[in-house]
Amino acid sequence: MKNLSKKVEFARLNFAVLAMAFVCIGLLGCSDKEEFWWDDDRSNAKVVGFVDDSLVIVGDFRFWHETTERWNGEYLEGRGAGNPRLCLYNYRVQEDGPRWCDSLSEEKSSGWFGGQMTDSIVWGGVLGEYIKLWKIGDEPHEMKLSKSFEGCSQKVSVQRIHQWLDGKFIALGSYSMNSRTFDNALTSLDSGASYCQYAVLDTVTRTITYKRLDEKLKWIGKCDDVRAWGEDVYCLKLDKETYDAELFINDNLKFIMERNQYKLGNYANVSFMGPYLKLHQTVYKYHEKEIERMSSFSSQEISFGDGKGNNIIY
């Protein structure tokens, strides 16, 4: 009898829900109530790149919130990040706000701040499918890409894009091309021999070609980061034993940055950032036979220092 009573009660409940649904449909009522709002403050500011001796590119976004009250009394909560914004700040002198800013009304912020591609262009997107390009002062746009493979079949997951030879761009993955790091990465892959080491992006033909290093470029396999200026190939390498950083141009060692002087250690990283060399959280400019310190920065509060104190700009 108890089971029968439960079945009758369950049937009554279902009938009540269906009845309410029919009433809502008939009267065009009982609709969901939605509320949507943005946070006033912006979050997760990130140094994306450097333009010149005084201007830095910073990206950020805002969180949004959404509450939906269902017709049956349920509440659904939603939260996300969107409204991506790109700004130019002067990192030499404290000014009253940014020099320039522009933002997008998108409710998704992901994919816009992949990194600096040229002195004035920031890239984002999913390489191998499409790329997002945002040039300072211009409207951002998305470009679909076709992909091809040369001597490999498993594409690299692109994390960095730099200017390359013949007006093209080199696209690198999260792994360094330094042979020790790269070989360790390959041990976890079933088809190591077919794994692509880098890619070349051609924005004119809108293609990205995944490749392995040939004999001519085999030397850049030692590099932690690589790019071209004109017809010259620049290579940055961090020695994992001494933690000195080395700058090569066309496979010729040009400069050694000793760990003690440049404060390099176990957690340091080296890369190119726009027109500069980035050694951990400090950027330097390379002159002939000389390295000039430009600025140190912290992405958490977007502060910059020149050795005489910090200029908080965000």
Side-chain angles (χ1 to χ4, degrees), residues 254-277:
K254 291 293 183 179
F255 208 92
I256 296 178
M257 293 149 277
E258 297 180 355
R259 66 172 297 178
N260 292 333
Q261 180 181 356
Y262 291 86
K263 299 180 181 180
L264 301 171
N266 295 8
Y267 299 102
N269 57 75
V270 298
S271 63
F272 292 104
M273 200 168 198
Y276 301 124
L277 318 178

mmCIF file of all heavy atoms in Angstrom, residues 254-277:
data_model
loop_
_atom_site.group_PDB
_atom_site.id
_atom_site.type_symbol
_atom_site.label_atom_id
_atom_site.label_comp_id
_atom_site.label_asym_id
_atom_site.label_seq_id
_atom_site.Cartn_x
_atom_site.Cartn_y
_atom_site.Cartn_z
ATOM 1 N N LYS A 254 76.925 36.357 -29.479
ATOM 2 C CA LYS A 254 77.178 37.791 -29.442
ATOM 3 C C LYS A 254 77.282 38.358 -28.033
ATOM 4 O O LYS A 254 77.970 39.337 -27.792
ATOM 5 C CB LYS A 254 76.057 38.531 -30.198
ATOM 6 C CG LYS A 254 76.063 38.318 -31.690
ATOM 7 C CD LYS A 254 77.299 38.941 -32.340
ATOM 8 C CE LYS A 254 77.274 38.796 -33.845
ATOM 9 N NZ LYS A 254 78.467 39.419 -34.475
ATOM 10 N N PHE A 255 76.571 37.743 -27.100
ATOM 11 C CA PHE A 255 76.546 38.322 -25.759
ATOM 12 C C PHE A 255 76.176 37.254 -24.735
ATOM 13 O O PHE A 255 75.307 36.420 -24.983
ATOM 14 C CB PHE A 255 75.544 39.471 -25.700
ATOM 15 C CG PHE A 255 75.879 40.520 -24.677
ATOM 16 C CD1 PHE A 255 76.640 41.626 -25.010
ATOM 17 C CD2 PHE A 255 75.437 40.396 -23.363
ATOM 18 C CE1 PHE A 255 76.957 42.597 -24.066
ATOM 19 C CE2 PHE A 255 75.746 41.353 -22.412
ATOM 20 C CZ PHE A 255 76.515 42.458 -22.769
ATOM 21 N N ILE A 256 76.842 37.298 -23.574
ATOM 22 C CA ILE A 256 76.508 36.423 -22.452
ATOM 23 C C ILE A 256 76.022 37.290 -21.297
ATOM 24 O O ILE A 256 76.703 38.230 -20.883
ATOM 25 C CB ILE A 256 77.729 35.592 -22.004
ATOM 26 C CG1 ILE A 256 78.176 34.649 -23.128
ATOM 27 C CG2 ILE A 256 77.377 34.788 -20.747
ATOM 28 C CD1 ILE A 256 79.403 33.831 -22.777
ATOM 29 N N MET A 257 74.845 36.969 -20.792
ATOM 30 C CA MET A 257 74.254 37.695 -19.669
ATOM 31 C C MET A 257 74.342 36.808 -18.431
ATOM 32 O O MET A 257 73.604 35.840 -18.303
ATOM 33 C CB MET A 257 72.804 38.070 -20.000
ATOM 34 C CG MET A 257 72.712 39.096 -21.116
ATOM 35 S SD MET A 257 71.221 38.961 -22.157
ATOM 36 C CE MET A 257 71.721 37.664 -23.313
ATOM 37 N N GLU A 258 75.291 37.123 -17.552
ATOM 38 C CA GLU A 258 75.585 36.275 -16.412
ATOM 39 C C GLU A 258 74.462 36.310 -15.380
ATOM 40 O O GLU A 258 73.854 37.349 -15.137
ATOM 41 C CB GLU A 258 76.900 36.707 -15.770
ATOM 42 C CG GLU A 258 78.094 36.554 -16.710
ATOM 43 C CD GLU A 258 79.391 36.985 -16.065
ATOM 44 O OE1 GLU A 258 79.337 37.497 -14.916
ATOM 45 O OE2 GLU A 258 80.445 36.816 -16.704
ATOM 46 N N ARG A 259 74.211 35.144 -14.774
ATOM 47 C CA ARG A 259 73.054 34.964 -13.896
ATOM 48 C C ARG A 259 73.041 35.942 -12.738
ATOM 49 O O ARG A 259 71.996 36.473 -12.372
ATOM 50 C CB ARG A 259 72.981 33.529 -13.372
ATOM 51 C CG ARG A 259 74.123 33.118 -12.455
ATOM 52 C CD ARG A 259 73.868 31.767 -11.823
ATOM 53 N NE ARG A 259 72.693 31.791 -10.957
ATOM 54 C CZ ARG A 259 72.235 30.716 -10.326
ATOM 55 N NH1 ARG A 259 72.833 29.546 -10.458
ATOM 56 N NH2 ARG A 259 71.176 30.805 -9.543
ATOM 57 N N ASN A 260 74.202 36.206 -12.109
ATOM 58 C CA ASN A 260 74.236 37.092 -10.939
ATOM 59 C C ASN A 260 73.904 38.531 -11.314
ATOM 60 O O ASN A 260 73.165 39.213 -10.606
ATOM 61 C CB ASN A 260 75.614 37.023 -10.276
ATOM 62 C CG ASN A 260 75.879 35.671 -9.635
ATOM 63 O OD1 ASN A 260 74.949 34.970 -9.241
ATOM 64 N ND2 ASN A 260 77.137 35.285 -9.556
ATOM 65 N N GLN A 261 74.425 38.980 -12.428
ATOM 66 C CA GLN A 261 74.184 40.358 -12.841
ATOM 67 C C GLN A 261 72.746 40.557 -13.297
ATOM 68 O O GLN A 261 72.141 41.604 -13.045
ATOM 69 C CB GLN A 261 75.139 40.745 -13.967
ATOM 70 C CG GLN A 261 74.950 42.180 -14.456
ATOM 71 C CD GLN A 261 75.895 42.531 -15.589
ATOM 72 O OE1 GLN A 261 76.754 41.721 -15.984
ATOM 73 N NE2 GLN A 261 75.741 43.733 -16.140
ATOM 74 N N TYR A 262 72.177 39.528 -13.954
ATOM 75 C CA TYR A 262 70.829 39.656 -14.521
ATOM 76 C C TYR A 262 69.776 38.931 -13.684
ATOM 77 O O TYR A 262 68.629 38.796 -14.101
ATOM 78 C CB TYR A 262 70.829 39.130 -15.960
ATOM 79 C CG TYR A 262 71.622 40.021 -16.889
ATOM 80 C CD1 TYR A 262 72.998 39.852 -17.038
ATOM 81 C CD2 TYR A 262 71.011 41.053 -17.579
ATOM 82 C CE1 TYR A 262 73.740 40.683 -17.876
ATOM 83 C CE2 TYR A 262 71.737 41.882 -18.426
ATOM 84 C CZ TYR A 262 73.097 41.692 -18.563
ATOM 85 O OH TYR A 262 73.825 42.526 -19.385
ATOM 86 N N LYS A 263 70.191 38.445 -12.506
ATOM 87 C CA LYS A 263 69.273 37.840 -11.535
ATOM 88 C C LYS A 263 68.472 36.692 -12.144
ATOM 89 O O LYS A 263 67.246 36.650 -12.086
ATOM 90 C CB LYS A 263 68.328 38.898 -10.953
ATOM 91 C CG LYS A 263 69.067 40.007 -10.213
ATOM 92 C CD LYS A 263 68.107 41.047 -9.655
ATOM 93 C CE LYS A 263 68.867 42.153 -8.939
ATOM 94 N NZ LYS A 263 67.963 43.192 -8.392
ATOM 95 N N LEU A 264 69.194 35.769 -12.755
ATOM 96 C CA LEU A 264 68.576 34.591 -13.367
ATOM 97 C C LEU A 264 68.772 33.390 -12.450
ATOM 98 O O LEU A 264 69.795 33.264 -11.785
ATOM 99 C CB LEU A 264 69.189 34.320 -14.738
ATOM 100 C CG LEU A 264 69.050 35.464 -15.749
ATOM 101 C CD1 LEU A 264 69.869 35.188 -16.989
ATOM 102 C CD2 LEU A 264 67.587 35.674 -16.116
ATOM 103 N N GLY A 265 67.773 32.508 -12.429
ATOM 104 C CA GLY A 265 67.853 31.345 -11.558
ATOM 105 C C GLY A 265 66.948 30.230 -12.038
ATOM 106 O O GLY A 265 66.537 30.183 -13.196
ATOM 107 N N ASN A 266 66.600 29.330 -11.115
ATOM 108 C CA ASN A 266 65.843 28.126 -11.461
ATOM 109 C C ASN A 266 64.515 28.415 -12.140
ATOM 110 O O ASN A 266 64.060 27.641 -12.980
ATOM 111 C CB ASN A 266 65.583 27.294 -10.199
ATOM 112 C CG ASN A 266 66.870 26.760 -9.601
ATOM 113 O OD1 ASN A 266 67.961 27.116 -10.033
ATOM 114 N ND2 ASN A 266 66.749 25.919 -8.600
ATOM 115 N N TYR A 267 63.866 29.521 -11.768
ATOM 116 C CA TYR A 267 62.541 29.801 -12.304
ATOM 117 C C TYR A 267 62.573 30.871 -13.402
ATOM 118 O O TYR A 267 61.532 31.361 -13.832
ATOM 119 C CB TYR A 267 61.603 30.251 -11.175
ATOM 120 C CG TYR A 267 61.438 29.197 -10.108
ATOM 121 C CD1 TYR A 267 62.123 29.300 -8.893
ATOM 122 C CD2 TYR A 267 60.624 28.089 -10.316
ATOM 123 C CE1 TYR A 267 61.990 28.325 -7.917
ATOM 124 C CE2 TYR A 267 60.486 27.107 -9.346
ATOM 125 C CZ TYR A 267 61.171 27.234 -8.151
ATOM 126 O OH TYR A 267 61.031 26.256 -7.184
ATOM 127 N N ALA A 268 63.746 31.223 -13.844
ATOM 128 C CA ALA A 268 63.866 32.257 -14.874
ATOM 129 C C ALA A 268 63.438 31.715 -16.235
ATOM 130 O O ALA A 268 63.444 30.505 -16.485
ATOM 131 C CB ALA A 268 65.302 32.758 -14.945
ATOM 132 N N ASN A 269 63.046 32.615 -17.103
ATOM 133 C CA ASN A 269 62.745 32.269 -18.488
ATOM 134 C C ASN A 269 63.244 33.399 -19.366
ATOM 135 O O ASN A 269 63.360 34.541 -18.930
ATOM 136 C CB ASN A 269 61.246 32.035 -18.688
ATOM 137 C CG ASN A 269 60.422 33.231 -18.268
ATOM 138 O OD1 ASN A 269 60.365 34.244 -18.972
ATOM 139 N ND2 ASN A 269 59.779 33.141 -17.107
ATOM 140 N N VAL A 270 63.572 33.066 -20.591
ATOM 141 C CA VAL A 270 64.070 34.068 -21.528
ATOM 142 C C VAL A 270 63.239 34.006 -22.799
ATOM 143 O O VAL A 270 62.853 32.929 -23.254
ATOM 144 C CB VAL A 270 65.567 33.862 -21.846
ATOM 145 C CG1 VAL A 270 66.404 34.010 -20.597
ATOM 146 C CG2 VAL A 270 65.805 32.508 -22.494
ATOM 147 N N SER A 271 62.948 35.169 -23.369
ATOM 148 C CA SER A 271 62.147 35.210 -24.587
ATOM 149 C C SER A 271 62.295 36.582 -25.229
ATOM 150 O O SER A 271 62.853 37.506 -24.640
ATOM 151 C CB SER A 271 60.671 34.922 -24.288
ATOM 152 O OG SER A 271 60.137 35.924 -23.432
ATOM 153 N N PHE A 272 61.765 36.692 -26.425
ATOM 154 C CA PHE A 272 61.688 37.986 -27.091
ATOM 155 C C PHE A 272 60.309 38.575 -26.822
ATOM 156 O O PHE A 272 59.302 37.869 -26.834
ATOM 157 C CB PHE A 272 61.904 37.833 -28.599
ATOM 158 C CG PHE A 272 63.301 37.411 -28.961
ATOM 159 C CD1 PHE A 272 63.577 36.102 -29.337
ATOM 160 C CD2 PHE A 272 64.344 38.316 -28.922
ATOM 161 C CE1 PHE A 272 64.857 35.712 -29.651
ATOM 162 C CE2 PHE A 272 65.644 37.944 -29.244
ATOM 163 C CZ PHE A 272 65.898 36.637 -29.605
ATOM 164 N N MET A 273 60.273 39.871 -26.571
ATOM 165 C CA MET A 273 59.011 40.558 -26.307
ATOM 166 C C MET A 273 59.018 41.856 -27.099
ATOM 167 O O MET A 273 59.644 42.835 -26.688
ATOM 168 C CB MET A 273 58.837 40.820 -24.815
ATOM 169 C CG MET A 273 57.404 41.090 -24.389
ATOM 170 S SD MET A 273 57.248 41.039 -22.585
ATOM 171 C CE MET A 273 55.459 40.841 -22.417
ATOM 172 N N GLY A 274 58.352 41.841 -28.240
ATOM 173 C CA GLY A 274 58.401 42.997 -29.116
ATOM 174 C C GLY A 274 59.833 43.242 -29.552
ATOM 175 O O GLY A 274 60.543 42.319 -29.947
ATOM 176 N N PRO A 275 60.327 44.463 -29.430
ATOM 177 C CA PRO A 275 61.689 44.774 -29.865
ATOM 178 C C PRO A 275 62.757 44.480 -28.811
ATOM 179 O O PRO A 275 63.915 44.838 -28.993
ATOM 180 C CB PRO A 275 61.614 46.280 -30.135
ATOM 181 C CG PRO A 275 60.595 46.772 -29.159
ATOM 182 C CD PRO A 275 59.579 45.662 -29.018
ATOM 183 N N TYR A 276 62.375 43.822 -27.713
ATOM 184 C CA TYR A 276 63.292 43.655 -26.586
ATOM 185 C C TYR A 276 63.574 42.195 -26.253
ATOM 186 O O TYR A 276 62.858 41.284 -26.673
ATOM 187 C CB TYR A 276 62.727 44.363 -25.352
ATOM 188 C CG TYR A 276 62.502 45.833 -25.561
ATOM 189 C CD1 TYR A 276 61.245 46.407 -25.357
ATOM 190 C CD2 TYR A 276 63.541 46.663 -25.979
ATOM 191 C CE1 TYR A 276 61.040 47.760 -25.556
ATOM 192 C CE2 TYR A 276 63.346 48.017 -26.192
ATOM 193 C CZ TYR A 276 62.096 48.559 -25.984
ATOM 194 O OH TYR A 276 61.894 49.898 -26.191
ATOM 195 N N LEU A 277 64.623 42.018 -25.431
ATOM 196 C CA LEU A 277 64.944 40.723 -24.855
ATOM 197 C C LEU A 277 64.323 40.694 -23.467
ATOM 198 O O LEU A 277 64.542 41.601 -22.668
ATOM 199 C CB LEU A 277 66.456 40.536 -24.728
ATOM 200 C CG LEU A 277 67.352 40.997 -25.883
ATOM 201 C CD1 LEU A 277 68.818 40.767 -25.526
ATOM 202 C CD2 LEU A 277 66.986 40.304 -27.170
#
